[in-house]
Amino acid sequence: MAGGWGRWDCEMNILVDADACPVVIRDILYRAAQKRQIMLTLFANQSFQIPQSSFITLYQVAQGPDVADHEISRRVEAGDLVITADIPLAYEVFQQGAHVMTPRGERYTANTIRQRLQMRDFMETMRAAGQHTGGPPPLSQADRKLFADQLDRLLRRALPAP
């Protein structure tokens, strides 16, 4: 291990906002970490089973709002990949030079992250005014495939095959 809390020979770590990450997406990430031999750290305020692997770690944070988000933001480095559905966290780590992808496979760019942040703020205002805005639809098979494809594409570009 070189230089830090989980760096090996590769330049990229994957950090996951795991409390809201679907199990099926975590399974895809486990397989990718093993295949590519890349450090995968899941941040959550609850414990759950992870595969036995020197590449996969569960970092349990204290209970409370945004505790996992703050820990991810504190540990992320430029070039890392962060998996999160949390728009403010996505914006923050994107500003730090990280790649950001949602559990549905959407990759954020400078334009899309700003648009999402504005939409999130608008929806927050609507909810505060008493409007029921609903939540996201259930994760579909197409979402799973998009996530797996996007992850593979990003990792192939960023890392040499083991």
Side-chain angles (χ1 to χ4, degrees):
M1 210 172 344
W5 61 277
R7 296 242 171 235
W8 293 71
D9 294 322
C10 64
E11 293 297 318
M12 176 188 280
N13 283 315
I14 302 174
L15 296 85
V16 181
D17 185 2
D19 286 321
C21 187
V23 173
V24 67
I25 299 303
R26 292 194 316 239
D27 289 341
I28 292 168
L29 289 164
Y30 299 151
R31 287 190 299 275
Q34 279 301 122
K35 177 182 175 184
R36 294 284 181 166
Q37 299 181 353
I38 183 171
M39 289 302 300
L40 168 66
T41 306
L42 300 108
F43 295 82
N45 60 23
Q46 59 188 354
S47 183
F48 52 84
Q49 287 292 106
I50 61 171
Q52 286 285 106
S53 170
S54 58
F55 298 105
I56 303 169
T57 305
L58 173 61
Y59 188 93
Q60 190 171 351
V61 299
Q63 294 288 327
D66 302 326
V67 177
D69 297 355
H70 295 307
E71 193 63 31
I72 291 169
S73 180
R74 188 174 78 75
R75 292 179 181 260
V76 72
E77 295 182 17
D80 285 347
L81 171 60
V82 175
I83 309 297
T84 184
D86 185 283
I87 308 284
L89 173 61
Y91 181 78
E92 188 173 335
V93 298
F94 187 82
Q95 295 300 312
Q96 294 178 50
H99 303 276
V100 184
M101 196 164 78
T102 72
R104 294 179 181 273
E106 180 183 358
R107 291 235 4 240
Y108 286 124
T109 65
N111 288 334
T112 60
I113 191 68
R114 278 192 214 86
Q115 291 170 350
R116 288 298 198 140
L117 191 58
Q118 289 171 347
M119 180 57 78
R120 181 226 179 243
D121 291 345
F122 172 72
M123 297 303 278
E124 193 72 20
T125 302
M126 297 293 288
R127 284 188 289 275
Q131 294 289 322
H132 178 69
T133 57
L139 194 69
S140 70
Q141 188 63 38
D143 293 328
R144 295 174 196 167
K145 181 169 178 10
L146 178 62
F147 179 85
D149 290 348
Q150 285 282 38
L151 179 65
D152 186 58
R153 197 172 299 124
L154 191 147
L155 294 179
R156 270 189 284 120
R157 271 186 261 157
L159 304 168

